[in-house]
């Protein structure tokens, strides 16, 4: 949590009314999209886990994503969707079997020919990531490129549904 943490904790509470357990961590300074996991890493390293960005909205079948992840024997699966303008997104270039062969964060038009972008939803095998998470790291800038360069099994999971970014009050109003 960072912006308006009381609003979130008061609304969601401990998660019991949603039949889940919620653990919170307040970031007085932003830790990065991957660095935000650092306070929870000991709780995450026993089984596959999802990371879902809170400033995007989409419909997704998490069971289908989990099945795809297991079928591919993926270390790190990135949900991706099609977007015409990719200049504000992380762009995935994949082989025919869905393996991510390149990831470019916020590219210039000449830097990629792909229109498949990061939806901000990941399914992660803890064995591949738990030892590299630290404060200040970002998935798009640091973790995903490192996994690809280390020949880890990173796969893209395509969805047809729109992903609505709600990064600003105006974008929330528009959504």
């Amino acid at each position: 949590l960072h912006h308006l943490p009381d609003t979130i904790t008061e609304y969601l509470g401990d998660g019991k009314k949603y039949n889940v357990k919620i653990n919170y961590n307040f970031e007085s300074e932003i830790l990065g999209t991957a660095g935000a996991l650092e306070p929870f890493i000991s709780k995450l390293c026993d089984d596959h886990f999802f990371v879902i960005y809170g400033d995007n909205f989409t419909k997704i079948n998490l069971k289908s994503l989990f099945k795809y992840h297991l079928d591919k024997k993926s270390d790190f699966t990135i949900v991706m969707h099609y977007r015409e303008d990719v200049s504000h997104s992380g762009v995935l270039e994949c082989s025919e079997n869905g393996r991510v062969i390149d990831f470019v964060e916020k590219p210039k038009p000449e830097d990629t020919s792909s229109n498949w972008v990061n939806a901000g939803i990941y399914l992660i095998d803890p064995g591949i990531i738990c030892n590299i998470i630290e404060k200040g790291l970002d998935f798009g800038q640091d973790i995903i490129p490192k996994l690809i360069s280390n020949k880890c099994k990173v796969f893209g999971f395509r969805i047809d549904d729109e992903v609505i970014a709600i990064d600003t009050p105006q974008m929330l109003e528009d959504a």
Side-chain angles (χ1 to χ4, degrees):
L1 303 173
H2 182 72
H3 182 68
L4 300 175
D6 294 339
T7 303
I8 294 167
T9 56
E10 288 170 14
Y11 185 83
L12 296 173
D14 63 4
K16 282 184 184 174
K17 68 181 177 181
Y18 303 103
N19 202 27
V20 296
K21 181 180 177 190
I22 299 175
N23 294 295
Y24 297 100
N25 182 59
F26 178 73
E27 295 181 4
S28 56
E29 63 178 86
I30 300 295
L31 302 175
T33 57
L37 296 180
E38 194 268 336
F40 301 102
I41 209 70
S42 65
K43 296 177 184 189
L44 298 175
C45 285
D46 292 333
D47 203 354
H48 300 265
F49 61 91
F50 293 98
V51 171
I52 302 173
Y53 291 5
D55 58 357
N56 288 342
F57 177 79
T58 192
K59 295 178 182 177
I60 183 167
N61 184 321
L62 294 176
K63 288 182 182 179
S64 294
L65 172 58
F66 195 78
K67 182 180 181 326
Y68 176 87
H69 179 81
L70 294 178
D71 288 349
K72 294 290 187 177
K73 296 179 176 54
S74 179
D75 296 319
F76 192 103
T77 302
I78 304 168
V79 175
M80 60 185 182
H81 67 105
Y82 188 88
R83 179 171 286 160
E84 282 296 325
D85 177 9
V86 300
S87 62
H88 300 289
S89 304
V91 179
L92 295 87
E93 294 189 20
C94 299
S95 66
E96 288 199 20
N97 73 345
R99 189 160 182 167
V100 179
I101 53 176
D102 197 15
F103 185 89
V104 183
E105 187 67 38
K106 298 177 180 58
K108 295 176 185 147
E110 64 272 12
D111 291 343
T112 185
S113 60
S114 175
N115 290 89
W116 289 97
V117 301
N118 181 359
I121 302 171
Y122 312 126
L123 182 51
I124 302 170
D125 181 327
I128 203 69
I129 199 165
C130 283
N131 295 326
I132 62 172
I133 294 293
E134 58 186 62
K135 293 177 183 173
L137 293 183
D138 180 82
F139 279 110
Q141 294 288 341
D142 306 304
I143 300 296
I144 295 169
K146 182 176 186 171
L147 294 175
I148 294 167
S149 70
N150 288 345
K151 307 291 186 223
C152 295
K153 294 177 279 183
V154 178
F155 281 85
F157 180 79
R158 293 181 179 191
I159 60 170
D160 294 325
D161 290 318
E162 180 181 10
V163 176
I164 301 169
I166 48 176
D167 300 343
T168 66
Q170 183 60 51
M171 291 172 91
L172 176 61
E173 187 177 311
D174 292 346

